[in-house]
Amino acid sequence: MSASENKQLLRTAFDAWGTGDIRPLIAAMADDVTWTVGGHTSWSGSFRGKDSVRRDLLAKLGEQFDGTYTSTASRFVAEDDVVVVETRGSVATKAGARYDNQYCFVVRLEGGRIREITEYLDTQLVAEVLPDLAR
């Protein structure tokens, strides 16, 4: 796929996530996708495989939230097989804190499937608001 096609695929997925529907993003992932969360928190590290991403990252994050998490994209930059997406997440936690983080996702695609996601975010907010992730 071309850079513009990759960009459109992610724009469609993130438009849905902006309304709280992450299913198109998950559907675009290769079965052996790797999602790496940057930083040095208990949530940091790599989640390998679509099942691990769903179970060990997204589901455990979802357990912390009181309501629907949204991630609204503001910018897409594409070159070759890489698309960079800037987003802002928004949700309250069950503990009553706001988890409104800013992200930069660097996404590598291959054959119309997401192969790698590298997530950069405010790790101080993660440390302050989210409980430690037990792995």
Side-chain angles (χ1 to χ4, degrees):
M1 291 179 64
S2 69
S4 64
E5 290 170 319
N6 288 335
K7 184 177 176 180
Q8 185 56 50
L9 184 148
L10 288 178
R11 185 179 302 279
T12 299
F14 276 90
D15 283 351
W17 203 5
T19 67
D21 184 4
I22 196 171
R23 292 174 299 180
L25 184 66
I26 293 170
M29 292 179 193
D31 288 339
D32 61 348
V33 67
T34 299
W35 187 319
T36 301
V37 179
H40 299 283
T41 72
S42 65
W43 292 89
S44 301
S46 293
F47 300 84
R48 290 181 171 76
K50 190 187 290 193
D51 289 339
S52 177
V53 167
R54 277 192 294 228
R55 177 188 63 243
D56 303 326
L57 176 62
L58 300 175
K60 289 185 178 183
L61 274 170
E63 292 170 5
Q64 308 305 314
F65 301 149
D66 183 27
T68 301
Y69 176 84
T70 60
S71 188
T72 304
S74 59
R75 186 182 324 193
F76 296 83
V77 179
E79 182 176 313
D80 300 325
D81 62 350
V82 175
V83 180
V84 178
V85 185
E86 286 184 76
T87 73
R88 180 177 292 272
S90 181
V91 72
T93 68
K94 290 179 179 175
R98 291 297 308 171
Y99 183 69
D100 299 331
N101 213 328
Q102 295 180 358
Y103 304 89
C104 180
F105 293 99
V106 179
V107 182
R108 187 179 69 81
L109 297 100
E110 183 180 289
R113 308 302 283 173
I114 297 171
R115 303 293 302 193
E116 298 172 7
I117 299 173
T118 304
E119 175 183 341
Y120 300 94
L121 68 164
D122 179 350
T123 55
Q124 182 64 36
L125 180 62
V126 172
E128 290 175 1
V129 174
L130 296 179
D132 284 343
L133 176 64
R135 290 190 195 214

